[in-house]
Amino acid sequence: MKDIGAFLDALVKDPTLDPARFAVTGVSYGGYMCYATATHYSPRLKGANCYVAISNFVTFLENTQSYRRDLRRVEYGDERDPKQRAKLIEISPLTSVDKINLPLLIATGGNDPRVPASEADQIIKAVRGKGGTVWHLLAQNDGHVFRKKENEDYYFWASVLFWKQMLLGGGR
């Protein structure tokens, strides 16, 4: 996260860029980083486009397909260990949702075996519950990263509209 803050600091110094129009996007683990960036740097961003993203490491590990669980535990830590569970909860964007003060576009595959749709559902509920703006695209017939042309196209055009409104229009 400190690297992202340093990157934003460097971008602000570039006179060819408009710091009032910075935003973030990410897919899968990058989607987690998208949410995490939104929790740490909301005041410096106009929006976040988080695609098939982990919002809570504990619920992710509990709900990802069983064939993936042990591999992900090696990567992220074992949520069954109380000390590790506490750390995973601490670094999960859902824990700091109160710090997200920018519009989100969240894209989710309804049949995603890697990052279940429940990861999107819980952060959408939390952000909207505190009055935040969330655009949500749920492709019921797709999985992790859209493969069906109609979903890819819809996501592309929804993203264009989202960015047009957030970066060029009035926002929220």
Side-chain angles (χ1 to χ4, degrees):
M1 292 312 312
K2 290 178 183 177
D3 289 345
I4 291 172
F7 187 61
L8 289 169
D9 291 341
L11 290 175
V12 166
K13 295 175 186 173
D14 185 332
T16 65
L17 300 177
D18 181 354
R21 292 196 167 122
F22 288 172
V24 65
T25 189
V27 180
S28 198
Y29 181 78
Y32 156 73
M33 290 303 294
C34 180
Y35 286 150
T37 300
T39 66
H40 286 83
Y41 301 107
S42 270
R44 300 175 71 178
L45 302 169
K46 293 296 283 185
N49 180 346
C50 308
Y51 182 11
V52 295
I54 297 166
S55 63
N56 181 312
F57 280 106
V58 171
T59 58
F60 161 72
L61 289 165
E62 291 172 345
N63 295 313
T64 193
Q65 290 290 311
S66 59
Y67 74 92
R68 298 179 42 78
R69 202 165 290 135
D70 286 336
L71 293 171
R72 298 295 69 84
R73 285 176 175 144
V74 169
E75 187 173 355
Y76 301 126
D78 192 332
E79 84 287 2
R80 298 169 297 183
D81 175 281
K83 185 176 179 184
Q84 185 62 41
R85 184 182 191 90
K87 185 63 176 176
L88 289 170
I89 289 170
E90 176 189 328
I91 65 170
S92 291
L94 190 63
T95 302
S96 299
V97 76
D98 58 308
K99 296 178 182 175
I100 298 177
N101 296 310
L102 55 91
L104 299 175
L105 169 59
I106 297 174
T108 312
N111 298 320
D112 188 344
R114 298 180 191 181
V115 180
S118 56
E119 287 301 300
D121 295 341
Q122 62 193 5
I123 201 156
I124 290 165
K125 181 179 178 183
V127 170
R128 286 181 177 163
K130 67 180 200 75
T133 300
V134 181
W135 294 24
H136 184 211
L137 172 59
L138 172 62
Q140 290 281 11
N141 63 344
D142 225 326
H144 192 74
V145 184
F146 302 157
R147 302 283 184 229
K148 294 185 173 21
K149 177 121 173 69
E150 68 269 18
N151 296 333
E152 290 175 351
D153 289 350
Y154 196 93
Y155 173 68
F156 172 79
W157 289 112
S159 297
V160 168
L161 290 172
F162 180 79
W163 291 128
K164 181 179 177 186
Q165 184 173 340
M166 299 313 149
L167 297 178
L168 303 176
R172 301 179 210 281

